[in-house]
Amino acid sequence: MNKAKLATLGIQHLLAMYAGAILVPIIIGGALGFNAAQMTYLVSIDIMMCGIATLLQVMRGKAFGIGLPIVLGCTFTAVTPIITIGTGHGLGAIYGSIIASGLIIILISGFFGHLVKFFPPIVTGSVVTIIGLTLIPVAFNNAAGGDATSKDYASAENVILAFATMLIIILVYRFSTGFVRSIAILIGLVAGSVIGGFMGKVDFTNVANASWLHVVKPFYFATPTFEIVPIVTMTLVALVSLVESTGSYFALSNMTNTPIDQKALARGYRSEGLASIIGGIFNSFPYTAFSQNVGLMQMTGVKKRSVIVITGFMLVALGFLPKIAALTTVIPTSVLGGAMIVMFGTVMSQGVKMLAVAIGHNEGNAMIVACSLGMGLGVTVLPEIFKVLPESVQLLTSNGIVAGSLTAIVLNIVFNMIPWKREAMSTEAQAELDAINPRKQAVEFSQKELTEKQA
């Protein structure tokens, strides 16, 4: 394969993941009150860290790198936890929790395969669904304009622009196939921004002021601080991400005919942990496998590591170009809101699909979902409900994602892992429970998702 074709395929992968990659820093920076210059730097450093994390995973070393053609980016499951930590504990706590969770992942990487039984689809699906649900209000707030004190908040112009963007994304996704469909969100953001430009809602001042090159710095925004609640929260997010990544690992293993064993999985987990540590040091985010790039490989039929290596180096190069990152800051808030509704809805639908597979006719699993979703959303809406409990217990009950996740984990043990409960089940439910293999279901879910994207 010649260099020009490799470069073209590398650009395709970059475009496929770009919208998801830039939305995470834009959402988090906006929620935490970053100014235009800070947003530019945050987008730049995130893009660069996506490239570094990807290169760490594509390599195949003795301790790090699963050696598969996989692209890494910040998962949307981390968005709500990061915003919650930042508003409640400060920026330092965000980066401290990311670094600590990455270190924990490295430490448990060798035996995470044994822990994965505590995170079957019924648990991970519940967590992903909770996170998706809690992100939807953020999307609608942005669709209205983002600033509730502004005179044009929820104005007709903002609402029309938001839903016009959403409509464009839907139409592109419905009437296109292959690569064009995979970048529907990116097309929607560009088209929405063009429409916003005609409405006078696009300002290129920040792009003009941004430099062409910059030097990245560790601890640019804040020095890490280490607090229990943020660390527990980000570790739970990291564990759920590992389970999702495991599905991508096995899907790629099948696609590329590259066998992977426990040692290979451990190297992959360590790479994700190391990427999170580096992300925390440079005030970025935790990183995990991007499924949209797995889908793109299925569509193109090209599964070479060399293509992803090129994508990784392109991402690193873009991280040094703040002028390019500044372009993302001109996207009108209402355009972002329209795209967020689709993307966050996708996160939620992913969780629902996982739950649909896991629940089946199992009434116990239905109860797990009911209680975990209820606890997660309830604590998110009214976090002070458990203020009567001791402070040590409140560490686990003051955050909706932590409370919902722990509820799902504990109830899964009660309903699906305690021997006496298994004996009391009906024959049909018992057969269904015995069929639940977290790794197998992760692979089957990923393969099903790839088939749907290819179609």
Side-chain angles (χ1 to χ4, degrees), residues 26 36 80-81 140 158 172-173 185 206 209 230 233 235 250 253-254 256 263 268 276 289 322 351 364 375 386 431:
I26 289 174
T80 299
F140 269 80
N158 283 339
V172 171
Y173 194 85
I185 299 290
N206 188 46
N209 293 336
T233 302
T235 299
F250 278 96
S253 173
N254 291 336
T256 61
K263 291 183 178 180
S276 291
M375 182 67 75
F386 294 116

Side-chain angles (χ1 to χ4, degrees), residues 58-366:
V58 172
M59 73 176 187
R60 187 184 291 119
K62 290 184 178 181
F64 296 94
I66 197 167
L68 292 170
I70 193 164
V71 176
L72 271 69
C74 182
T75 174
F76 275 101
T77 56
V79 171
T80 299
I82 288 175
I83 293 173
T84 302
I85 293 169
T87 53
H89 301 268
L91 293 180
I94 293 175
Y95 305 120
S97 65
I98 292 172
I99 292 171
S101 65
L103 180 59
I104 291 170
I105 293 305
I106 290 177
L107 293 175
I108 69 171
S109 60
F111 56 91
F112 181 74
H114 300 291
L115 296 178
V116 75
K117 63 184 177 182
F118 293 102
F119 296 89
I122 196 66
V123 173
T124 54
S126 296
V127 175
V128 173
T129 304
I130 291 170
I131 292 172
L133 285 170
T134 57
L135 283 170
I136 294 298
V138 177
F140 269 80
N141 180 61
N142 279 285
D147 183 3
T149 62
S150 175
K151 291 182 179 180
D152 68 343
Y153 186 76
S155 65
E157 284 188 344
N158 283 339
V159 173
I160 290 173
L161 187 55
F163 285 95
T165 301
M166 184 177 173
L167 179 61
I168 291 169
I169 294 170
I170 293 171
L171 292 175
V172 171
Y173 194 85
R174 173 63 183 84
F175 295 105
S176 64
T177 57
F179 175 66
V180 174
R181 172 180 277 195
S182 73
I183 61 169
I185 299 290
L186 185 60
I187 292 172
L189 288 171
V190 173
S193 296
V194 171
I195 296 171
F198 285 109
M199 298 171 68
K201 291 183 174 293
V202 174
D203 183 3
F204 286 95
T205 303
N206 188 46
V207 179
N209 293 336
S211 60
W212 281 104
L213 291 171
H214 70 167
V215 178
V216 298
K217 303 174 184 177
F219 312 125
Y220 181 86
F221 293 113
T223 301
T225 59
F226 301 92
E227 302 178 38
I228 296 297
V229 173
I231 290 173
V232 170
T233 302
M234 289 309 301
T235 299
L236 284 170
V237 170
L239 292 174
V240 171
S241 295
L242 283 190
V243 175
E244 294 177 335
S245 292
T246 302
S248 295
Y249 296 162
F250 278 96
L252 281 170
S253 173
N254 291 336
M255 287 167 56
T256 61
N257 295 317
T258 305
I260 55 176
D261 53 18
Q262 284 290 343
K263 291 183 178 180
L265 288 173
R267 292 198 306 271
Y269 300 149
R270 286 192 202 102
S271 289
E272 292 201 13
L274 180 58
S276 291
I277 292 174
I278 297 173
I281 291 173
F282 283 93
N283 287 177
S284 187
F285 309 108
Y287 294 93
T288 190
F290 260 25
S291 62
Q292 53 264 55
N293 293 89
V294 181
L296 181 58
M297 279 179 239
Q298 184 76 11
M299 286 184 238
T300 62
V302 179
K303 304 148 191 172
K304 292 181 176 293
R305 285 196 298 159
S306 55
V307 173
I308 304 304
V309 169
I310 290 173
T311 301
F313 279 114
M314 286 179 175
L315 289 167
V316 172
L318 285 176
F320 286 104
L321 303 174
K323 185 78 76 174
I324 303 299
L327 285 172
T328 64
T329 65
V330 307
I331 302 173
T333 304
S334 49
V335 171
L336 288 173
M340 287 177 193
I341 293 172
V342 177
M343 294 200 76
F344 296 164
T346 301
V347 173
M348 188 166 55
S349 68
Q350 180 183 358
V352 170
K353 284 196 290 185
M354 295 168 74
L355 292 177
V357 172
I359 293 176
H361 301 289
N362 191 319
E363 294 180 359
N365 281 350

